[in-house]
Amino acid sequence: MRGLLKIYWFWLFFALMSGHVYAEGNAKERSDAKPQKVVAVAEVKVTVPAAKLVYTPDSVRDVVTSSLVEAGKVKVIDWSRLSEVLFRRNLGWSDVVEKKEERQAVREILLNDYFLVGSVSAYSEHWDYQTGAFSKSKTQVVRVQLELFIKDALTNEIKAAGRGEAERRKEVSQTLGFGAAGGSDATLALSALNEATNVAVNKMLGQLNPAWLKETVRTKQAKEQDSGEVWDVE
């Protein structure tokens, strides 16, 4: 009986110690983990006339925001949150671009490290036609190019840039006068934009120094206060 009690107390002691060590390890991992950088999605322009027929700035911005979130390398503040801050301060995005004090004020509210801006820089859509002995076909071709930039939230310096290009095709065939005549497929433009955005986002995030993705605005400010000097993340 005494032997069984000794085994029981030994097992209980071992289980308690193992749990304590495991808890300490998890706590250390949590304390060592550093928050990700914060990117606020700002202005994304659609300046190409042909692109304005199929895209709006809001729709492109939503696609960019989704791509950033899916990449999982940064925390993302969407345009609705940023525009709310601008509205309350009676500012436009141009004020943030042109005035350092306004950028500082917005950053203090959002606690973001970067702003993301960009534009749809090229867009085209056309049909390719092919005719055979007993059939004919046409192919809708959509091409889009998107350029994105990550800028320092305080200095407005470009920290990373990415260009994405994509092409989508859809063929419509007819045989001996039969088959779908077919018009333009609007989904091709969105599909091409999604691909171009993913390419641009991956290129852009790939240029960021991994250290930038881990240090936060608060950490940067703390280092400045401790040293009495401006700390450069580069």
Side-chain angles (χ1 to χ4, degrees):
M1 186 67 178
R2 290 181 180 178
L4 292 175
L5 285 174
K6 288 182 179 180
I7 292 173
Y8 171 76
W9 286 113
F10 176 79
W11 175 85
L12 181 62
F13 176 77
F14 178 78
L16 290 173
M17 290 301 296
S18 298
H20 178 68
V21 171
Y22 177 76
E24 282 188 340
N26 283 347
K28 186 176 187 303
E29 287 180 3
R30 288 194 297 269
S31 65
D32 291 342
K34 296 179 180 179
Q36 294 172 311
K37 283 290 193 175
V38 181
V39 176
V41 178
E43 185 176 51
V44 181
K45 298 180 180 180
V46 181
T47 57
V48 181
K52 291 181 179 181
L53 299 176
V54 291
Y55 304 131
T56 65
D58 285 341
S59 66
V60 177
R61 197 157 35 215
D62 288 344
V63 171
V64 171
T65 301
S66 297
S67 183
L68 277 173
V69 171
E70 290 175 4
K73 293 183 178 180
V74 294
K75 291 187 177 180
V76 182
I77 297 175
D78 65 17
W79 170 251
S80 62
R81 173 63 177 138
L82 174 56
S83 61
E84 178 185 349
V85 172
L86 296 178
F87 176 78
R88 290 182 177 180
R89 296 184 61 83
N90 195 28
L91 297 173
W93 175 244
S94 60
D95 297 314
V96 178
V97 174
E98 297 169 2
K99 301 175 183 178
K100 181 178 179 179
E101 61 272 18
E102 299 298 355
R103 287 198 299 274
Q104 176 67 41
V106 171
R107 191 184 78 161
E108 288 177 355
I109 297 172
L110 297 178
L111 295 179
N112 63 307
D113 302 279
Y114 305 115
F115 288 111
L116 181 145
V117 297
S119 67
V120 176
S121 53
Y123 180 86
S124 67
E125 181 176 344
H126 68 273
W127 290 92
D128 286 340
Y129 294 90
Q130 298 86 31
T131 303
F134 301 101
S135 66
K136 62 181 180 179
S137 66
K138 60 180 181 179
T139 302
Q140 181 185 356
V141 183
V142 173
R143 296 188 181 97
V144 63
Q145 177 177 286
L146 180 73
E147 298 189 35
L148 299 177
F149 304 89
I150 281 183
K151 294 187 174 184
D152 187 278
L154 181 59
T155 67
N156 209 35
E157 176 188 0
I158 295 176
K159 292 294 187 180
R163 173 183 294 173
E165 299 175 334
E167 177 182 287
R168 283 289 183 271
R169 292 173 170 265
K170 182 178 180 180
E171 181 178 346
V172 179
S173 300
Q174 289 181 295
T175 302
L176 296 177
F178 297 95
S184 296
D185 185 347
T187 63
L188 285 188
L190 179 58
S191 178
L193 177 63
N194 284 330
E195 181 182 346
T197 301
N198 289 336
V199 172
V201 165
N202 288 332
K203 287 182 179 179
M204 183 177 58
L205 294 179
Q207 294 172 19
L208 289 178
N209 186 315
W212 297 353
L213 299 176
K214 295 179 181 178
E215 297 292 347
T216 64
V217 171
R218 289 172 178 162
T219 303
K220 189 189 305 182
Q221 292 173 342
K223 290 189 177 183
E224 290 177 359
Q225 292 172 357
D226 292 342
S227 65
E229 299 176 355
V230 175
W231 179 64
D232 188 354
V233 294
E234 296 180 346

